[in-house]
Amino acid sequence: MNISYRWLRAIAPTITDAPHELAERLALLGAPVDEIVELSEGLRGVVIARVEEVRRHPNADRLRLCLVDAGAGHPLQVVCGASNVEAGGFYPFAPVGATLPGGLTIGRAKLRGELSEGMLCSARELGLGRDHLGIMTLRGEWAPGSSFIESLGLDDVRLLVDVTPNRPDLLSHLGVAREAAPGGTEDLRLPELAGADGRVVEIASAGESGRTAGVRVTIDDSAGCPRYLGAVLRGVRVGPSPEWLATRLRSVGLRPINNVVDATNYVLIELGQPLHAFDLERLGSDVRVRLAGAGETIRTLDGTDRPLEAGMLVIADASRPVAVAGVMGGEETEVTESTRDIFLECALFEPKTVRTTARSLGLSTDSSYRFERGVDPDLQPVALRRAIALIRAVAGGTLDGHAIDLLPRKVERTVVALRLERVERVLGVGLTEEALLDSLGQIGFVVEPTGGALRVRVPGYRPDVTREIDVIEEVARRIGYEAFPEELLPLRPTRVPEDPLLRVGRAVQDVFTARGFLEARTVSFAPEQEGRVPLLNPLSAEESHLRDALGPGLLRRLEHNWSRGTRDVRLFEIGTVFGPGRGEELVREEVRVAAVFTGSRRPAHWSEDAPAYDLWDLKALLSDLGPALGPGAEVLPGEPAFSAALLVGDLGFELRVGEKVVGGGGLVREGAVDAPAWAGDVWLVEARIPRGGVLRASPRYRPVPEQPAVERDLALLTPVGVPSAEVDATIHAAAGDLLEAVRPFDLYEGKGLPEGSRSVAWRLRFRAANRTLTDAEVDAAVERVLTRLEEGLGVRRR
Amino acid sequence: MGGRTRSYPDTLPMRLDLIRQLHDLESEGTAAVASATGASEVERLRVELLGRKGRLTGVLRQLGSLAAEERPAVGAEANRVKEVLSSLLDRKADSFADTGSAGTSVDLSLPGREWWHGGLHPITQVVDEICGIFHELGFVRVAGPEAETRWYNFTALNTPLDHPAADMHDTFYLSEDTVLRTHTSPVQARIMEVYQPPVRIVVPGRCFRRDSYDASHAPVFEQIEGLAVDEGITFVDFKATIAEFARRFFGPATRTRFRPSFFPFTEPSAEVDVSCQLCGGTGCSACKGTGWMEIMGAGMVDPAVFENVGYDPERYIGFAFGMGPARIAMQRYRIPDIRLFYENDVRFLEQFR
């Protein structure tokens, strides 16, 4: 909400804070100021000039030469491009040396051979609006050379107040003044309107239907329109507004249109009540507030033809809708220069009706914005009187008869019971009845003692306050949150257990960070081919679905790093993926971890070449990851569970926990990533993190060996096709209890070996817990191993 | 003087005399090498003991005076002594090379052998730190689904969809009734449906709003929700808890300011500011001259939320808060653009190890 500091002080002269102090106070009342704009900034040098003469530019069809009286004592020649400049008119003029709000400094210039000594300005060039159609024309008589900002009262500051959706009362100068004035409502008055004659406007009350000045007005749908006031003014002269009114509107960023429309906008901004003026001649004599019928259409003021849906509330004449209630008027009944008589509407529309209608039409206007949030149901007579007075002051005309006020049902007042002890229980501080009366009374709440709870009558401009807790908030707000002490109270521990998933996540993070991986966070969206759950309203085709795996997103991040010239990349991510649900459930979520890595295993060092990551790094990573995901995890050759399409078929592992495959990894195939020529192999890992957490068996102490071990190395000729895992298992089975550990330590393939075999060297370590082993015992075990290997697997000693 | 000492008769046959000379050479040479103080002295000793004009050569020259059958035994002993001294000299020379105390060729200013350093994403680090502080204040971490029903995301939190308050969130829809959660607040309702008070939880998690990417917006973002419900909690307690968090997170001198605001699921509602971390509250460009930085939305739980989850609003009172760790990380690390968090350039991520 744009607030003019001058306008605000005209309503509440007791506000004496400077604009930035006012902003600070409003922030502490719940209405922070996002921006403070000095409207006169950059306009100090601008003066009012009278154009004496307008001639054609001898060398350019589109330019004119103007002789300008800017109070310098002699006329200045100015070249001007706008077509709306007329001799005898008054315009804002930036003389040579003036700097405009955009930073442009005016210099003496020759334009197409003609001297130009200054510039006639448009509203936009002065930072006063978007209007760039022509030079800003000033109505009335002015002294040439007088200061533009002083003459127009532009020495003003605009505050952009951030109004939360629960506070429609702050969408007007009156409402902001009520909050900000030191004395509250008592300090407020409506500023006098220049030219108003103070004539009293009679308003006659009626129910669902009534008549004013020959116009019958009927509310068909009193749920959507609880109150409707109308008045007929005859003999108005539609034209430009006087400067004071145009200035008021510009000060809050509105563009002046004509005096009648400007008057209704003035009342909207000042009081928060939207009004609409119809051209009575085109409206006819039967005005009806009703629901639109199927197939009806309207051309709204913005020139758009809009089909109406059944259920939308409209204002209609005898034959057709003439306005979308509370949203926008129709073009056909628009007030124009030729309008003589007007029908002025000042109504109350129901928030949800307006909101639904505005949404389905894709329209949001100053009017709908306020009705959606709730307009004060008591405000309409005040606003209508104000608007009639203002229109008569700036456009002339007379009220025909009396205005009419249709109120089919009495609007219920909100009354809330407020318990002092409840105030204390919530706020933690005991407050006296007096303090409550004080803080609430200032903003128009009426508090009455009843012996027990207090009766609080809520003013109509506060539709957000309907319950005791709402009143308690008002009390806290008006006293000031800062006035409440801070004290930590004794607390009871919570019954809620920590989510076990988070603990698993931490263990997984440790696996990767310890191995030099950096954690990534990628967005949850994916293109269609990488997701199975579509968004109904995506931002783009690249992000039209929810991801069903983490791998592709990480590979895209890898490509990004490659594109920046980074060769060594190790990224991991823990995140949610989405798949279609079963039965009632629409979406099934799963938390996963994924990692990509490529490049050198270690940072380059001058002493040696850093080897590149290979298959065995992948396998070890999976082996390390396994225990974090479940007890007894195993890494086995096989197709990875996720993103298998991205990987080379026969170079992968699956990660199993018990019977379940929970993940795996492999080598990213060529073409699955957009790799530069210098890029190395890319390895990908992805696994599911169990939602219920992982029960990790507690380690059990085993005695640390005290006896010496005996080691034996065996070079074994192994037929290709016999997996090492089987050799390992056979050695264990054959060697018996004395075998403590066995591991392969060398692999040789090539010359000197029989066709179809490789040589694998194994180191076996034997140990007995209670004695030193003899060579004979160990030799016997080795013999058993060799026999079983040869018989079972065809593996023999080299 | 160290070395072995042996006793010999005063007059000896030639053979034994040579052996004695060799043993003297061994023990004196051993001692001299042991006490050498630099590589150059070791090299001088090598020449003196084993060089072409050295003492060992002097002994070997006398071999010619021996009978042919006596020569091998003495020669063998001479070889043994030569090996012993030679290896002592080598080890001594190496020892000086190792410590580099004199004339070594190793350039110790070369970089050492490094390993890759892993690290958590800066947002994760901030989330962990915040949750850790709240853990100290009695809150435990819980999680909830990212795809939510409209009931949990809006209605249960006292936000009717036909109220303008729902416009505060631009929402992604998966179906008419399923949305991507616009805040982590729905987890409040889910937890309260399952557990009775006391409840003290923090909920870190990913949220979604239909914002296009720019320097301060992304359609995904992280949020940390907090909720405390019990008998006897008050606004005073709420303010103190948040202020205590702020001091532990931002530093003991941090001041906290509570401003009235509006959230459908809290009443009274507040925006919480902390004194600007850059200027300390005097006003600078980072805080737009106000001296304050907004860090969270918060308030007392609205009784309507308690009614929706089946708590007795007369008996229980609570407070809730929500904050954006990405924004806090941007303030803390002075990161100018939120997109950097999702770009995952390793040269960015490495800075927060």
Side-chain angles (χ1 to χ4, degrees), chain A residues 351-352 355-356 372, chain B residues 159-166:
Chain A
K352 285 178 189 170
R355 178 170 162 82
T356 313
E372 281 180 32
Chain B
T159 314
L161 283 159
D162 52 8
H163 190 273

Side-chain angles (χ1 to χ4, degrees), chain A residues 579-604:
Chain A
R582 291 167 216 154
E584 294 277 287
E585 172 191 61
L586 181 79
V587 185
R588 172 150 293 228
E589 290 180 30
E590 199 172 281
V591 179
R592 298 244 187 104
V593 58
V596 295
F597 56 107
T598 181
S600 300
R601 200 180 291 160
R602 290 196 290 275

Side-chain angles (χ1 to χ4, degrees), chain A residues 7 190-201 233 236-249 258-271 273 275 277 342 344 381-399:
Chain A
W7 199 342
L190 291 184
E192 280 187 20
L193 302 170
D197 60 8
R199 190 174 300 182
V200 175
V201 173
L233 286 120
V236 297
R237 289 173 306 280
V238 178
S241 289
E243 276 314 321
W244 75 264
L245 177 54
T247 297
R248 275 275 188 264
L249 295 181
N258 63 48
N259 45 14
V260 172
V261 173
D262 291 352
T264 60
N265 280 337
Y266 176 96
V267 175
L268 169 83
I269 297 299
E270 185 175 75
L271 304 180
Q273 169 70 49
L275 294 106
I342 61 171
L344 189 60
V382 180
L384 184 69
R385 287 195 166 98
R386 183 94 175 142
I388 290 170
L390 181 53
I391 291 172
R392 293 190 56 239
V394 299
T398 52
L399 176 68

Side-chain angles (χ1 to χ4, degrees), chain A residues 360-666:
Chain A
S360 5
L361 293 176
L363 266 176
S364 177
T365 61
D366 282 335
S367 166
S368 70
Y369 194 82
R370 284 169 177 79
F371 281 124
E372 281 180 32
R373 282 156 178 75
V375 168
D376 180 0
D378 296 331
L379 184 60
Q380 290 75 36
V382 180
L384 184 69
R385 287 195 166 98
R386 183 94 175 142
I388 290 170
L390 181 53
I391 291 172
R392 293 190 56 239
V394 299
T398 52
L399 176 68
D400 187 351
H402 52 72
I404 191 157
D405 178 0
L406 303 186
L407 189 64
R409 278 191 309 257
K410 199 166 173 285
V411 178
E412 287 295 319
R413 291 269 138 270
T414 305
V415 178
V416 175
L418 179 66
R419 296 165 294 172
L420 278 174
E421 70 273 14
R422 185 71 189 170
V423 174
E424 179 167 3
R425 275 198 65 194
V426 174
L427 298 183
V429 173
L431 295 171
T432 61
E433 224 173 271
E434 212 172 21
L436 295 179
L437 284 167
D438 233 35
S439 56
L440 292 171
Q442 277 199 337
I443 47 172
F445 288 68
V446 180
V447 185
E448 299 159 358
T450 62
L454 299 171
R455 269 170 60 89
V456 178
R457 288 169 10 137
V458 180
Y461 45 80
R462 291 302 302 274
D464 58 312
V465 179
T466 59
R467 306 166 301 166
E468 185 181 42
I469 191 69
D470 301 326
V471 179
I472 293 175
E473 178 178 56
E474 282 307 295
V475 170
R477 195 176 66 79
R478 292 298 299 186
I479 288 176
Y481 288 4
E482 289 305 282
F484 288 84
E486 289 166 13
E487 186 193 350
L488 283 173
L489 299 185
L491 63 90
R492 300 195 291 169
T494 178
R495 293 172 192 272
V496 184
E498 184 175 74
D499 193 317
L501 185 75
L502 295 164
R503 194 166 302 172
V504 182
R506 235 166 282 164
V508 169
Q509 285 174 350
D510 288 346
V511 168
F512 285 97
T513 54
R515 288 177 160 259
F517 282 69
L518 293 162
E519 189 196 14
R521 281 177 180 260
T522 67
V523 296
S524 309
F525 307 116
E528 190 177 0
Q529 61 273 19
E530 290 168 13
R532 290 176 291 157
V533 178
L535 299 173
L536 295 186
N537 53 342
L539 282 170
S540 69
E542 290 75 48
E543 302 194 338
S544 63
H545 285 63
L546 287 169
R547 61 187 177 190
D548 71 353
L550 298 178
L554 279 181
L555 289 177
R556 224 159 291 134
R557 297 298 93 211
L558 169 62
E559 285 166 356
H560 172 84
N561 277 287
W562 273 339
S563 75
R564 304 289 179 91
T566 309
R567 184 182 159 274
D568 299 316
V569 180
R570 301 157 311 284
L571 294 175
F572 79 101
E573 178 173 21
I574 296 173
T576 306
V577 302
F578 304 81
R582 291 167 216 154
E584 294 277 287
E585 172 191 61
L586 181 79
V587 185
R588 172 150 293 228
E589 290 180 30
E590 199 172 281
V591 179
R592 298 244 187 104
V593 58
V596 295
F597 56 107
T598 181
S600 300
R601 200 180 291 160
R602 290 196 290 275
H605 191 250
W606 50 270
S607 65
E608 62 189 351
D609 289 335
Y613 280 116
D614 65 19
L615 190 64
W616 311 110
D617 295 301
L618 172 74
K619 189 172 186 187
L621 177 62
L622 284 166
S623 304
D624 267 12
L625 177 61
L629 302 180
E634 281 183 290
V635 180
L636 301 169
E639 182 159 286
F642 310 117
S643 302
L646 298 171
L647 304 175
V648 174
D650 51 0
L651 269 189
F653 299 100
E654 58 179 36
L655 181 58
R656 276 178 179 274
V657 172
E659 293 298 294
K660 273 195 218 153
V661 178
V662 300

Side-chain angles (χ1 to χ4, degrees), chain A residues 215-239:
Chain A
V215 180
R216 168 154 291 281
V217 187
T218 309
I219 300 178
D220 280 352
D221 183 61
S222 63
C225 176
R227 191 170 197 178
Y228 195 100
L229 278 69
V232 171
L233 286 120
R234 297 196 188 272
V236 297
R237 289 173 306 280
V238 178

